Amino acid sequence: SSLYLTILDLKKLLKPIGWTWKGWLPMGLLTIVASEPGIGKSALALRLAASVISKLPWPDGTAYEGPCGKVLWCEAEASQSLNVERSDFWNMSLGDLIIPRLEHPFTKVLLDNPHHKRIVKAISQLEDTRLIIVDSLRGCHSLDENSSESMEIVMWLAELARDTGKPILLTHHLRKRGHYDGDSVNLDRLRGSSAIIQPARVIWAMDTPDPELPEHKRLAVIKSN
């Protein structure tokens, strides 16, 4: 019939779901990592880039088993100097941590800018681009987190992950813990509209469970399809 497709037709277009980091970072899907500001999600994202670029073990100690390649870093938090220092610290190949060529090397990536989106999409489609990281949702557009544009950006990233078969990691912020929030982080604490979280197939929460030991971080999967 010319009126409909079948799930079999879709199966022919899609690859089986695989994992870049097993149980954590799926290929072809969008993952969000959320924490309160200053907890270390950007450093974590860069540390994951080091695994993909330099075959460092994942943070849980498991080996990186995929092919090495380039990581596209979309900076929207003006943290370029920190990124350079951290990349040096992890001895990763700095030539493989790539950024979009925009108006200026320090131009922040705006995913509500059609020109920026075209460049991000083109780099994501390159064969040796293995991972795309966007840091952060709040920084990569000019409107507030409850806007429809914010939701459209998350959906665009989910579609980009699907169409390229690559993993995409988006950093996002949690609201501060309220009086009635428990010790663990739940989806209700993600900032902005609840519609933001729907296109993400996996969501991680990062926090410091013991205020006496701020250097001890906890990373948990709080949504996984």
Side-chain angles (χ1 to χ4, degrees):
S1 170
S2 60
L3 293 176
Y4 62 80
L5 297 170
T6 70
I7 293 296
L8 179 60
D9 295 319
L10 293 185
K11 182 179 179 182
K12 293 173 183 175
L13 295 171
L14 295 167
K15 296 177 182 176
I17 295 172
W19 297 91
T20 297
W21 178 16
K22 189 167 178 57
W24 292 87
L25 190 61
M27 289 183 265
L29 297 169
L30 174 64
T31 298
I32 289 177
V33 54
S35 77
E36 292 180 17
I39 296 296
K41 59 186 171 297
S42 299
L44 171 68
L46 203 58
R47 171 62 184 77
L48 301 182
S51 289
V52 174
I53 290 170
S54 303
K55 274 195 177 293
L56 263 64
W58 294 112
D60 63 356
T62 58
Y64 175 71
E65 296 177 343
C68 287
K70 292 179 167 50
V71 174
L72 172 60
W73 185 277
C74 299
E75 177 60 48
E77 295 281 335
S79 296
Q80 289 88 352
S81 57
L82 276 175
N83 295 341
V84 171
E85 282 197 14
R86 289 165 174 165
S87 302
D88 271 336
F89 177 78
W90 282 309
N91 292 318
M92 71 172 87
S93 169
L94 301 187
D96 290 323
L97 185 65
I98 60 177
I99 60 175
R101 187 186 292 275
L102 301 175
E103 295 82 0
H104 186 275
F106 297 148
T107 298
K108 79 173 184 173
V109 177
L110 291 172
L111 295 181
D112 54 357
N113 178 313
H115 174 61
H116 291 199
K117 283 171 74 174
R118 278 194 299 272
I119 294 176
V120 168
K121 184 174 183 178
I123 298 171
S124 301
Q125 291 170 330
L126 296 174
E127 185 177 350
D128 62 349
T129 302
R130 305 291 181 196
L131 170 64
I132 299 101
I133 296 171
V134 178
D135 187 31
S136 64
L137 177 59
R138 181 179 68 176
C140 76
H141 64 95
S142 51
L143 297 158
D144 68 58
E145 285 164 329
N146 289 301
S147 68
S148 59
E149 281 79 4
S150 187
M151 294 170 234
E152 286 168 9
I153 285 168
V154 176
M155 180 58 74
W156 183 80
L157 288 170
E159 292 169 352
L160 183 63
R162 178 200 65 200
D163 295 345
T164 60
K166 312 284 177 68
I168 296 184
L169 182 66
L170 171 65
T171 69
H172 188 39
H173 295 293
L174 296 171
R175 60 173 173 79
K176 288 200 174 289
R177 189 188 305 190
H179 182 71
Y180 295 104
D181 290 319
D183 288 337
S184 60
V185 178
N186 57 48
L187 293 174
D188 291 336
R189 285 192 57 204
L190 269 75
R191 283 175 46 167
S193 165
S194 59
I196 286 173
I197 67 175
Q198 290 170 8
R201 300 296 96 193
V202 176
I203 297 180
W204 311 341
M206 187 176 182
D207 67 340
T208 49
D210 187 345
E212 302 294 318
L213 296 168
E215 71 278 10
H216 288 189
K217 313 295 182 184
R218 171 172 58 185
L219 189 66
V221 174
I222 60 172
K223 174 185 174 181
S224 178
N225 293 124

